[in-house]
Amino acid sequence: MEILSDVTFSIQLTKHTFCNYQLKIDKKIMTLTFPQLLQLRNKINFLTTPKNLENIIENDNFVLLFIADKKHLVFLEIFKLIDLKEELAYCFSDF
């Protein structure tokens, strides 16, 4: 019996083919290649350093982020930014 079987998460990252991934943030679905995924991980890791998080919280409390070579623009509040970081970390922990 799966405990979280009926829970839907606002951020999901799934692997579709060898180098293609699908990122779902709320209702927006984006297709990413592996290099785009690595670039997104670098951006998120940079934005979630303690100093940068502190600056974001003091100023706007949100981040506008271009994803997949500027094909998608995403509005992320602090808690979604941290959720995205955790989802990316989980994706790369399987390797």
Side-chain angles (χ1 to χ4, degrees):
M1 184 168 97
E2 185 71 28
I3 295 173
L4 298 175
S5 63
D6 59 343
V7 176
T8 57
F9 297 100
S10 64
I11 297 179
Q12 296 175 334
L13 181 64
T14 55
K15 183 176 182 179
H16 279 285
T17 60
F18 176 65
C19 285
N20 289 324
Y21 296 83
Q22 187 175 36
L23 177 63
K24 180 182 174 193
I25 299 177
D26 294 328
K27 294 181 182 179
K28 186 169 187 146
I29 298 173
M30 298 160 272
T31 302
L32 302 169
T33 62
F34 187 71
Q36 291 170 336
L37 188 64
L38 287 175
Q39 183 182 24
L40 177 62
R41 183 179 74 159
N42 286 338
K43 284 182 190 177
I44 296 299
N45 285 339
F46 174 75
L47 289 171
T48 55
T49 60
K51 185 177 180 180
N52 287 336
L53 275 177
E54 190 175 310
N55 286 336
I56 293 169
I57 291 170
E58 286 177 1
N59 294 323
D60 300 326
N61 260 354
F62 68 90
V63 172
L64 288 175
L65 187 65
F66 281 108
I67 298 177
D69 297 329
K70 298 184 181 181
K71 291 180 186 174
H72 305 281
L73 179 64
V74 180
F75 174 84
L76 297 173
E77 295 175 336
I78 296 298
F79 66 92
K80 285 199 180 183
L81 183 66
I82 294 172
D83 284 346
L84 181 56
K85 179 180 180 170
E86 290 176 358
E87 185 70 23
L88 287 168
Y90 177 73
C91 174
F92 282 97
S93 69
D94 290 341
F95 297 125

